[in-house]
Amino acid sequence: MPVEFISAVHPNPATEGDPTAGSGIDVDYARRYARALDDGGFDYTLVTYHSASPDALQLAQFVAHHTERIKPVLAHRPGVVFPTHAARALATLDRISAGRLVVHIISGGNDEEQRREGDYLSKSERYARSDEYIRILRGVWEADGPLSHQGPYYRFEGFRSDVTPYHGTIPISVGGSSEDAYRVGGQQGDIFGLWGEPLTETAEQIASVNAYADAAGRPRPRIWVSFRPIIAPTDELAWEKAHRTLGAVKANHAERAKRRHYPAVGRGTPANVGSQRLLAVAERGEVHDRCLWTAPAAATNAAGASTALVGSPETVAKALLDYVDIGCELLSIRGYDPLNDAIDYGRHVLPLVRQELAHRAATSAA
């Protein structure tokens, strides 16, 4: 399958460097952003989930309605919506979008965040529930009659849905960096998402996911890897921009820390393994491989995908191709100035990567 690009939906102009720029849903901005991704050549866009954020399902429908080709990757948290209802709602959105939907299952790595919506399961139990949840979703989508189920987390009898996915099923993505994540993703995922670690560590994670897929006798998931590129016309200018960006991010996090009465840095080990891994990489060095920069992860306590690729468009494109060479087919890139960065990526980075891949394909064919 071709190498494809992912961004992430931003419902308002707020950034990590300027969180006061907007809040909630700015409809005009969200529409402009979605269309910029569509016009810029992105293939997918992640619609994130958080207990306090705008409803992800409705935002994904908004994106689908205002674009022609980009595929919403809807982050969906099991435990909030019963799986039979979710299966019907997701199939409806997939029909509305003419088969463009992807569902990204997030089991949850933070107990405090989970409890905000009444979820008191342990992390390992959440992954076990996700496994059952995915099986139910696919069972509903593929059923040709009423479906009953009895499992550790869900039980129902005689459920049927009059709406089916546009292509018969919907691709399911799983992400994470724990053994539980590798197992569920390898055994169940069509796509598996990773945060941007150095090439060696990323290859090791891919091997772990693939081992579970092989043992289950199913196709290996497509690998999705996420970065926060910082680009400028030259490498030198990109690094100057990177340090300015980092300064703004640090100032924002320091202000948030002051309001919440905890230290800005070193405020405890994150609960999720992915953040722990990024912080460990940052401790080993600030720059890895071609241009992977870990300082933003260290500054934010690795709150989400937070490693950057810094350099000219040519340097960043080469770095992305390094990850393609180890088995990554989906490249997630979003910036610290989301809309303007997305436009710049579409103009200057995506064409370089695609041009090189086309050249390789032509050379191989010849």
Side-chain angles (χ1 to χ4, degrees):
M1 298 186 73
V3 171
E4 297 178 296
F5 285 90
I6 305 175
S7 183
V9 170
H10 284 265
N12 61 66
T15 69
E16 285 147 297
D18 184 11
T20 63
S23 62
I25 298 179
D26 181 330
V27 173
D28 290 338
Y29 179 89
R31 183 187 301 112
R32 190 163 70 252
Y33 188 90
R35 288 177 175 169
L37 298 178
D38 216 28
D39 295 341
F42 282 87
D43 302 285
Y44 301 86
T45 186
L46 176 65
V47 184
T48 60
Y49 186 103
H50 187 272
S51 60
S53 297
D55 182 74
L57 184 68
Q58 295 185 61
L59 191 54
Q61 182 174 345
F62 177 90
V63 170
H65 177 72
H66 290 287
T67 58
E68 298 296 328
R69 47 173 298 279
I70 200 163
K71 301 173 184 177
V73 181
L74 173 64
H76 183 76
R77 183 180 289 176
V80 177
V81 179
F82 200 77
T84 52
H85 176 80
R88 190 170 73 254
L90 295 170
T92 301
L93 177 52
D94 191 57
R95 283 281 172 180
I96 290 171
S97 66
R100 286 188 278 158
L101 184 64
V102 176
V103 179
H104 181 53
I105 298 294
I106 49 172
S107 299
N110 184 294
D111 290 344
E112 181 181 355
E113 164 66 9
Q114 296 297 124
R115 290 169 183 168
R116 289 171 183 153
E117 296 191 295
D119 185 1
Y120 287 84
L121 295 183
S122 68
K123 184 178 178 182
S124 61
E125 289 174 317
R126 293 196 294 267
Y127 272 101
R129 179 181 60 192
S130 291
D131 184 278
E132 184 177 347
Y133 200 93
I134 294 169
R135 295 179 192 277
I136 292 170
L137 291 180
R138 288 202 175 112
V140 170
W141 294 333
E142 297 168 6
D144 56 5
L147 181 70
S148 298
H149 173 86
Q150 183 168 345
Y153 301 98
Y154 300 104
R155 177 182 177 183
F156 57 89
E157 297 178 10
F159 179 80
R160 60 181 296 274
S161 173
D162 289 335
V163 58
T164 57
Y166 190 86
H167 297 295
T169 191
I170 299 172
I172 289 179
S173 168
V174 177
S177 296
S178 66
E179 201 65 30
D180 285 331
Y182 301 151
R183 184 185 68 254
V184 175
Q187 294 175 349
Q188 296 273 32
D190 301 301
I191 296 168
F192 191 88
L194 296 168
W195 288 345
E197 295 188 17
L199 291 162
T200 298
E201 286 81 354
T202 302
E204 291 170 353
Q205 290 186 286
I206 294 172
S208 295
V209 175
N210 287 344
Y212 279 109
D214 294 345
R218 65 183 306 276
R220 294 176 172 181
R222 300 181 73 195
I223 300 298
W224 156 18
V225 62
S226 298
F227 303 100
R228 310 291 300 276
I230 299 173
I231 65 170
T234 67
D235 288 348
E236 181 180 17
L237 290 173
W239 280 107
E240 291 176 5
K241 179 180 176 181
H243 287 290
R244 290 196 304 271
T245 300
L246 181 62
V249 170
K250 282 183 173 180
N252 171 38
H253 276 259
E255 180 61 29
R256 290 171 57 194
K258 188 187 302 181
R259 292 198 303 268
R260 297 180 185 180
H261 308 292
Y262 55 62
V265 178
R267 54 183 176 270
T269 302
N272 62 305
V273 177
S275 293
Q276 294 170 17
R277 290 178 62 101
L278 292 189
L279 291 175
V281 170
E283 286 181 3
R284 297 203 306 270
E286 188 169 307
V287 181
H288 296 260
D289 300 324
R290 193 183 296 271
C291 62
L292 180 71
W293 193 39
T294 64
T300 61
N301 210 30
S306 49
T307 49
L309 297 174
V310 182
S312 66
E314 292 78 11
T315 296
V316 170
K318 289 176 182 176
L320 291 169
L321 287 162
D322 291 339
Y323 285 87
V324 172
D325 291 339
I326 63 169
C328 301
E329 293 183 326
L330 298 166
L331 305 174
S332 176
I333 54 174
R334 63 185 181 94
Y336 288 95
D337 181 5
L339 177 57
N340 291 324
D341 285 343
I343 293 170
D344 283 346
Y345 299 156
R347 289 174 176 169
H348 306 299
V349 177
L350 273 62
L352 290 176
V353 174
R354 288 178 171 145
Q355 180 180 338
E356 173 59 21
L357 292 171
H359 172 72
R360 292 181 182 184
T363 301
S364 176

